[in-house]
């Protein structure tokens, strides 16, 4: 797959962005991330190759990322300052812009299914807290308790952040700590054989976030957006900036009203976010199946797969790994 | 004030839109709405005339609308299906796009002050539920109990809607019942002497809404938006559609990328919303102080005031009332 060429169907995913320190990534951990991304690509590709919808493909890919504890969504979500977990998710269908989103949720095994339930089984777009949970129970979504979602590394990260706050030490960003704390999100965008687009995003939010803090993921037009006419987008980054810039919808606007390509619009929006302190990135796909994966920090866990079924995954810049082990030299990161 | 002309400073407000049946509006009630709108205009105008900021003006105007029980925000908010009240609000500063929003909140006398506290006293944009309430308490915002917010007409409206649901009767929209149930929101947009824009929106949501349902009001880019380069917008209507269309930010996009006037962009977006079932309206102001107040239903409680200090208020189409009692024949509703 060459990302800048049209594809009959294609899928792109991300598992968060930030200052990803190479030295902190052991070979084993690095392989774990690549394997997790490949599983998600395979899950979405299977749907698309079978003639399934973009909506089902992004759902399947995000579920796989939620189930993987390495990524900050579903199992392995980060902890709030109070030691609880609050998850947000959104999904949007480019056919008619129908959308569903949840925020401040704990319980459903796959928060993306909660967002989809809002879209398909309520007259609403955004449901929060207990109200969202009620819908999930009525729809019979699989629920899990705290032990399922708990992971030791996330818990340790919370303790370290709380200890830093107690000590009054400044946020040390030399190892990407502050960025990493903010950037955990997973997402998927897809184009199916029928030319339909869809986007899905899911997150545990920021480590040690204030209770009730909601980032850009469940905000339609900020962290998640899809319209068949232009593009599907899923973002990851310093959510507050992405909300203020209406990041995902801004890409739609530049394609629609200024005639920009996906590559140009997505790249510029991410670059501009970087200038104002909004570090992060996003994945985007256009109506012809072209993919853009721009980010303005040192790394973004990401991957893409097209009709040829060869998954490409990457963490840092200019370092793509293909399933067959060869480097795709023709590939250029679009950012 | 002629709304389509530039103004050194100006303010526009709304108190909700919908199918406002003339026969349901007694002369006394009609005068009550106009008086409530005039009080809000006066509160905001006083700030602007004194050289205050657009941000302070929209805050003052929305507080006045929240304090008036006739409007569905703050005191007089509607009830959820469970008989509780959940309020949402957002505010945005066009100078730097800083923004604050709250959702699912009960307690603060003026929810717009809660949104402003999020903007000014947290690193976040959107806080929900208990987390938002914690911030309000820490900031010492005035809090109220249920009796303050209770109004008999809103309670009766809930009972009528619940009875309709129990009986299985279809939603009767002949008297605007369904629309009115969805459309209660208040908002303000302003341009100050320094050319800065701001927007604020506050709502009790929909009568008999599901617990946890969040509409477009607190969604930056949907129900609330401000950027000095283009416009400030506050919307009211069938919130789900406004979220899917990113209504407020879409107006910014058409002005920015397609070179449209405020009047054209705002009018078209509202008309397009009407076509897809998104009944409602919005108020908008551009960098030169021009105002647009389009709506696609039979009425919108609205008003505007410019540097001359003469408030204009209206409920239905082509029916404007000025403080001095004369009709401003030169005025044309922009929708």
């Amino acid at each position: 797959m060459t990302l800048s060429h049209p594809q009959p169907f294609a899928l792109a995913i991300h598992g968060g962005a930030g200052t990803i320190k190479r030295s902190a990534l052991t070979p084993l951990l690095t392989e774990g991330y690549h394997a997790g991304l490949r599983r998600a690509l395979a899950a979405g590709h299977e749907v698309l190759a079978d003639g399934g919808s973009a909506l089902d493909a992004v759902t399947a890919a995000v579920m796989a990322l939620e189930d993987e504890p390495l990524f900050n969504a579903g199992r392995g979500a980060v902890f709030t300052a109070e030691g609880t977990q609050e998850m947000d998710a959104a999904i949007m269908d480019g056919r008619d812009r129908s959308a569903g989103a949840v925020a401040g949720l704990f319980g459903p095994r796959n928060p993306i299914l909660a967002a989809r339930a809002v879209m398909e089984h309520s007259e609403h777009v955004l449901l929060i807290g207990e109200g969202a949970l009620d819908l999930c129970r009525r729809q019979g979504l699989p629920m899990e308790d705290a032990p399922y979602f708990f992971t030791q590394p996330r818990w340790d990260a919370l303790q370290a952040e709380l200890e830093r706050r107690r000590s009054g030490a400044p946020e040390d960003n030399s190892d990407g700590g502050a960025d990493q704390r903010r950037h955990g999100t997973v997402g998927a965008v897809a184009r199916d054989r029928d030319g339909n687009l869809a986007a899905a995003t899911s997150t545990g939010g920021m480590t040690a976030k204030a209770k009730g803090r909601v980032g850009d993921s469940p905000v339609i037009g900020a962290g998640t957006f899809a319209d068949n006419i232009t593009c599907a987008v899923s973002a990851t980054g310093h959510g507050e900036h992405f909300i203020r810039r209406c990041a995902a919808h801004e890409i739609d606007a530049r394609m629609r009203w200024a005639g920009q390509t996906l590559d140009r619009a997505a790249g510029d929006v991410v670059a501009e976010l970087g200038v104002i302190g909004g570090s992060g990135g996003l994945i985007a796909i256009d109506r012809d199946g072209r993919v853009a994966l721009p980010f303005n920090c040192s790394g973004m866990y990401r991957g893409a797969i097209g009709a040829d079924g060869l998954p490409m995954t990457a963490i840092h810049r200019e370092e793509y790994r293909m399933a067959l082990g060869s480097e795709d030299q023709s590939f250029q990161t679009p950012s």
Side-chain angles (χ1 to χ4, degrees), chain A:
Chain A
M1 178 186 191
T2 305
L3 299 187
S4 56
H5 289 184
Q7 289 280 322
F9 63 88
L11 169 78
I13 61 171
H14 69 79
T19 309
I20 300 168
K21 203 180 180 185
R22 286 176 196 264
S23 63
L25 282 175
T26 62
L28 195 66
L29 193 55
T30 300
E31 186 42 48
Y33 280 116
H34 281 286
L37 291 168
R38 282 197 302 268
R39 276 195 295 276
L41 288 173
H45 181 267
E46 186 179 347
V47 173
L48 294 172
D50 284 353
S53 70
L55 194 66
D56 286 340
V58 296
T59 303
V62 167
M63 287 177 71
L65 293 164
E66 286 175 337
D67 292 346
E68 168 56 59
L70 282 176
F71 301 112
N72 174 22
R75 189 177 193 188
V78 300
F79 292 90
T80 69
E82 303 187 11
T84 59
Q85 289 166 303
E86 293 181 342
M87 303 174 206
D88 309 329
I91 191 163
M92 190 161 185
D93 186 339
R95 285 176 289 200
D96 60 357
R97 286 207 191 186
S98 59
V102 291
L105 197 66
F106 179 83
R109 183 185 182 100
N110 291 105
I112 198 64
L113 292 183
R116 190 157 172 176
V118 172
M119 179 173 82
E120 296 181 337
H121 302 291
S122 85
E123 59 175 342
H124 304 306
V125 169
L126 176 55
L127 281 179
I128 63 177
E130 276 301 315
L133 214 45
D134 288 347
L135 176 68
C136 295
R137 290 195 194 97
R138 286 200 306 276
Q139 291 299 320
L141 295 191
M143 309 294 272
E144 299 287 352
D145 292 329
Y148 170 80
F149 293 106
F150 179 93
T151 55
Q152 194 65 46
R154 301 300 191 194
W155 185 255
D156 294 344
L158 171 64
Q159 303 311 318
E161 172 62 14
L162 294 179
E163 176 54 35
R164 183 193 67 75
R165 292 182 185 181
R166 270 191 298 269
S167 73
E171 276 195 290
D172 174 12
N173 209 21
S174 65
D175 67 345
D179 272 3
Q180 280 291 76
R181 191 168 75 78
R182 292 201 184 96
H183 287 186
T185 303
V186 309
V189 295
R191 179 207 197 265
D192 63 29
R193 289 183 193 274
D194 298 324
N196 295 314
L197 306 184
T201 312
S202 180
T203 187
M206 283 165 41
T207 293
K209 69 182 175 185
K211 207 170 135 188
R213 179 263 185 180
V214 179
D216 61 317
S217 302
V219 177
I220 300 299
T224 307
F225 182 82
D227 188 320
N228 277 3
I229 293 173
T230 52
C231 59
V233 180
S234 172
T236 172
H238 193 157
E240 279 71 14
H241 286 289
F242 283 66
I243 294 176
R244 293 185 192 109
R245 304 308 304 181
C246 304
H249 184 250
E250 180 67 22
I251 297 171
D252 164 277
R254 294 180 187 196
M255 295 177 71
R256 187 184 300 264
W257 297 108
Q260 294 184 6
T261 63
L262 178 79
D263 201 51
R264 164 86 191 279
D268 285 358
V269 165
V270 168
E272 290 160 22
L273 277 161
V275 170
I276 59 167
S279 98
L282 54 83
I283 56 172
I285 193 165
D286 73 7
R287 57 193 295 178
D288 298 318
R290 295 183 194 90
V291 169
L293 312 168
F295 54 97
N296 60 32
C297 38
S298 76
M300 177 167 79
Y301 303 101
R302 62 202 188 279
I305 192 165
D308 62 13
L310 297 180
M312 294 191 309
T313 58
I315 300 176
H316 294 96
R317 224 169 267 283
E318 295 165 27
E319 164 249 298
Y320 261 76
R321 191 184 292 200
M322 296 186 67
L324 301 180
S326 67
E327 291 291 311
D328 178 4
Q329 299 297 337
S330 71
F331 176 75
Q332 298 288 325
T333 52
S335 65

